[in-house]
Amino acid sequence: MAWLPVFVPVAGTAMVLLFRRRRRLLGPIAVAALAGTLAVAVVAAFAGSTASWDWGAGIALQLSVEGAARPMVVLVPLVALPIVGFTAASLRRDPALARLLGLMVAFVGAMELLVVAADFLTLLIGWELVGAASWSLIGHEWRDPNRPRSAKEAFITTRFGDLGLYLAAGAAFAATGSFRYSDLAASSDPRWLAIAAGGVLVAAAAKSAQVPFSPWLFSAMAGPSPVSALLHSATMVAAGAYALIRLEPIFSQVPWFPPTVIGLGLVTALAGGVVALVQTDFKRALAGSTSAQYGLMLIAIGAGFTAAGMGQLTAHAFFKALLFLGAGVALHTGGTLDLGSLRLGSALPKVALLFGVGAAALAAIPPLGGAFTKEAVLAAAFDAGVWVGAGTVVAGLLSVLYASRLHLLGYGPGPTQTSGERPGVGELLAIGALATITLLLGALWLPGGEKLLETVASGRIAGGEPWELWVSLGVIALGLAIIAALWKRHRLVDLGIPDRLRAAVADWWGLPTAGRVVIVDPVLRLSEGLRITDRSVVDALVLGTARTATRVSASLRRSAERVIDGGVHVIAGGVLRTADTSRSVDDEAVDGTVEGIALGIGIAGEQSRKLQTGMSYHYYTILVIGAALIIFVTVLWR
């Protein structure tokens, strides 16, 4: 049963590719595949399924739908379902729609494998498949040379962090002789445990776009908007935070691990919040907010309250997918992602309303579920320390600022006429479904909500103080007041910040340039060098060896032919000479002897025939002479 959430989307991908020429069936097939994935995921989560597949040599792939995997295995297809439906409706004229939908469904399957992994080897396989699928999706419009380049940058940056996961897997195997999480948890060797913790943290930080890996999210914006929605909500970016949630009970034993995770999350929440606030590109502003929100999750995870982190991840998945789909609608309708040129609220009032639900959840405005989980994160932060809590409050203020700014600039009141295509029923249904779930998560504010979240996520939530909620409400009011003032003064786009400074901060504080110089360009140069070395040295060595072997072989062939042919000729000549000699001997000796004997016999016969006279006295005389000779000889012999 644990394999089904992986196999069903794989089968769905095969069906999409099989019916690729029947375009009207592509969307229903992809949606049906994800609905089937959701159904089997729910069953597997309730059953707490486990599975194992023996790979040989004592290595087995371990799957377990337990702990944090239970809500996550359901969350992935549940969020992907409306996104894929939106894709089928919005990009129905895309000539490569079959490839796009097939990859998105396969992407879900890879993420499901990562989620249900119970050992580092299975986790690595899912991790790599997720990275490869995201690269293909980001570079979907590959005829534009900028798209493959952006996909490559995103891929290389995350791959650099992925090396940490290989290190962690190696450390786990060295410590326990297996890749299983449970065996590593029982390990008593703190050195290998610390190495594994460090490796997982680096890999998770890269995947979840934490500082200094955050800028790869900007490169990922080269993909279609639905792809961005899928990456940022429940798949690629969520993988890092989920891995930390699932492995936190093991790595919390490492002394430096919790404070490092908290510090990393807090720095990213603040830095990403500022980037999201000053960005003027719709999707890039959302990307900055993604880094910041995952930073908040890491704060809760590092503090040991994984249920708060899982709750934030869940709420964020729904409202962030909603916001990215809203950005896609803005691009199709307004023809641009420039926040200074949109304000589509008057032209698209329904989308503006639905987008507003997502923006309010991003700003953590009660009674939405996003506000509940944000309060759980804030309680965890204050439990970790006053300064951590204070920093989280500032991060919360930034989230109010960038969320409300995005809503006003993207879907605030503006001209009613638009030049692009308006969203159809399919797009509105998908966005409406995500907005509905975002609203329903507000039920967590009801009594028993905390206990429910702890049970579902198999973790803890910190017991917050009442004043923390009042602080959050004050921050929300302050943020809205600041945005209203900027709107009134027509400074909401530039925020009154000099262009050069704002551009530098908006470009991730210069990290993309640093990342390109420190990571991407050296890796590309190394790859080019290896390619040249491979062609100039390795290939030349192989070809030279082959040519030498060919020449030696030809020389040996010629020598062998000469030696063998000579031997054959000598033997043949000897045989012929022997045959001639034999023939001469036969003619001269054997034949002569035979003929001589025959002649002698003939003469003897002729002479004996003369003795046959017919006279009896001749016979008596011969008989007497013979008897006398016999007697004579006998006497002499004795």
Side-chain angles (χ1 to χ4, degrees):
M1 191 68 203
W3 284 104
L4 286 180
V6 180
F7 287 153
V8 172
V10 172
T13 300
M15 292 296 292
V16 169
L17 297 179
L18 183 65
F19 289 92
R20 62 187 180 281
R21 299 188 187 284
R22 305 185 69 174
R23 295 179 59 84
R24 290 187 177 181
L25 295 180
L26 295 179
I29 291 174
V31 170
L34 292 181
T37 305
L38 176 61
V40 297
V42 170
V43 175
F46 274 102
S49 302
T50 59
S52 177
W53 182 68
D54 188 5
W55 201 334
I59 298 175
L61 300 184
Q62 305 286 338
L63 274 61
S64 171
V65 191
E66 297 174 330
R70 285 185 170 180
M72 194 67 186
V73 77
V74 176
L75 177 67
V76 174
L78 184 58
V79 175
L81 193 56
I83 295 174
V84 169
F86 181 94
T87 306
S90 176
L91 302 177
R92 57 189 177 279
R93 297 188 185 88
D94 189 332
L97 181 62
R99 173 162 53 86
L100 179 61
L101 291 177
L103 280 172
M104 292 178 80
V105 176
F107 196 14
V108 172
M111 186 65 190
E112 290 287 70
L113 179 62
L114 186 153
V115 169
V116 300
D119 68 281
F120 283 101
L121 184 58
T122 311
L123 179 66
L124 260 176
I125 295 173
W127 202 270
E128 295 289 7
L129 291 175
V130 165
S134 66
W135 170 78
S136 301
L137 288 168
I138 294 170
H140 172 67
E141 297 171 355
W142 55 271
R143 288 181 174 81
D144 179 351
N146 292 324
R147 309 301 174 96
R149 188 181 305 118
S150 298
K152 186 168 61 179
E153 288 181 0
F155 184 71
I156 290 176
T157 305
T158 54
R159 290 288 296 150
F160 184 81
D162 292 350
L163 296 177
L165 200 56
Y166 284 91
L167 179 65
F173 194 82
T176 66
S178 82
F179 293 107
R180 288 189 289 270
Y181 298 159
S182 55
D183 289 344
L184 182 62
S187 172
S188 58
D189 191 334
R191 295 170 300 173
W192 290 118
L193 191 61
I195 293 174
V200 169
L201 181 57
V202 171
K207 229 41 162 201
S208 288
Q210 300 298 288
V211 173
F213 301 101
S214 310
W216 76 260
L217 281 184
F218 282 2
S219 300
M221 293 301 100
S225 295
V227 169
S228 301
L230 193 56
L231 255 73
H232 286 243
S233 57
T235 53
M236 179 78 168
V237 188
Y242 167 75
L244 289 178
I245 290 172
R246 182 144 192 189
L247 296 173
E248 189 274 341
I250 302 174
F251 296 143
S252 61
Q253 307 171 43
V254 180
W256 56 262
F257 185 77
T260 304
V261 174
I262 292 173
L264 186 64
L266 184 57
V267 169
T268 306
L270 296 172
V274 174
V275 170
L277 180 60
V278 301
Q279 256 293 341
T280 56
D281 180 279
F282 205 157
K283 287 178 65 176
R284 289 192 171 203
L286 286 173
S289 75
T290 296
S291 288
Q293 294 295 311
Y294 277 93
L296 294 175
M297 295 172 208
L298 261 63
I299 292 173
I301 297 167
F305 300 101
T306 54
M310 191 67 211
Q312 179 69 7
L313 191 154
T314 303
H316 176 266
F318 291 110
F319 68 67
K320 188 51 66 71
L322 162 61
L323 295 173
F324 266 109
L325 295 186
V329 170
L331 177 61
H332 286 181
T333 306
T336 180
L337 289 172
D338 181 12
L339 287 170
S341 308
L342 289 172
R343 298 181 185 174
L344 300 170
S346 302
L348 302 172
K350 294 179 182 176
V351 179
L353 178 63
L354 297 174
F355 190 89
V357 173
L362 180 60
I365 296 176
L368 293 171
F372 179 87
T373 58
K374 187 73 71 61
E375 287 304 308
V377 170
L378 184 62
F382 275 112
D383 187 87
V386 175
W387 290 109
V388 177
T392 305
V393 169
V394 175
L397 173 61
L398 289 170
S399 68
V400 176
L401 295 173
Y402 58 67
S404 50
R405 174 176 177 264
L406 273 174
H407 187 222
L408 284 174
L409 293 178
Y411 284 99
T416 57
Q417 298 299 321
T418 56
S419 57
E421 184 179 1
R422 292 171 179 262
V425 176
E427 290 98 315
L428 291 175
L429 281 176
I431 297 175
L434 291 168
T436 302
I437 298 175
T438 300
L439 290 169
L440 290 176
L441 286 177
L444 288 171
W445 286 98
L446 297 174
E450 292 184 359
K451 186 65 177 177
L452 175 65
L453 184 54
E454 287 181 332
T455 303
V456 172
S458 301
R460 294 188 303 134
I461 292 179
E465 300 295 334
W467 59 264
E468 293 173 2
L469 178 59
W470 289 107
V471 169
S472 295
L473 292 174
V475 165
I476 292 171
L478 176 62
L480 293 177
I482 293 173
I483 291 298
L486 291 170
W487 173 266
K488 187 176 180 180
R489 298 179 182 179
H490 304 286
R491 306 306 300 266
L492 201 53
V493 176
D494 61 14
L495 302 171
I497 302 174
D499 288 344
R500 292 187 60 181
L501 175 60
R502 183 171 50 78
V505 175
D507 195 25
W508 262 109
W509 306 84
L511 278 177
T513 303
R516 197 159 33 246
V517 171
V518 175
I519 298 176
V520 177
D521 289 347
V523 170
L524 292 178
R525 282 196 291 272
L526 177 62
S527 301
E528 180 64 16
L530 291 175
R531 186 187 67 80
I532 294 173
T533 302
D534 179 65
R535 177 169 296 181
S536 305
V537 179
V538 179
D539 286 357
L541 183 61
V542 172
L543 292 174
T545 304
R547 291 193 186 100
T548 302
T550 302
R551 293 193 187 100
V552 171
S553 175
S555 176
L556 289 174
R557 179 176 57 78
R558 288 192 295 272
S559 299
E561 287 177 354
R562 284 196 297 271
V563 171
I564 293 173
D565 289 352
V568 170
H569 289 155
V570 169
I571 293 172
V575 170
L576 290 174
R577 280 193 292 274
T578 302
D580 290 342
T581 303
S582 175
R583 181 175 54 79
S584 299
V585 170
D586 179 65
D587 292 344
E588 297 175 2
V590 177
D591 291 353
T593 302
V594 172
E595 289 174 356
I597 294 172
L599 181 60
I601 292 173
I603 294 171
E606 183 66 27
Q607 294 300 323
S608 65
R609 188 176 57 81
K610 292 178 178 178
L611 295 175
Q612 296 177 0
T613 61
M615 300 296 179
S616 59
Y617 65 92
H618 286 166
Y619 299 145
Y620 291 140
T621 301
I622 293 171
L623 182 64
V624 170
I625 293 172
L629 286 174
I630 293 172
I631 293 169
F632 179 75
V633 171
T634 304
V635 172
L636 289 179
W637 184 265
R638 295 183 64 182

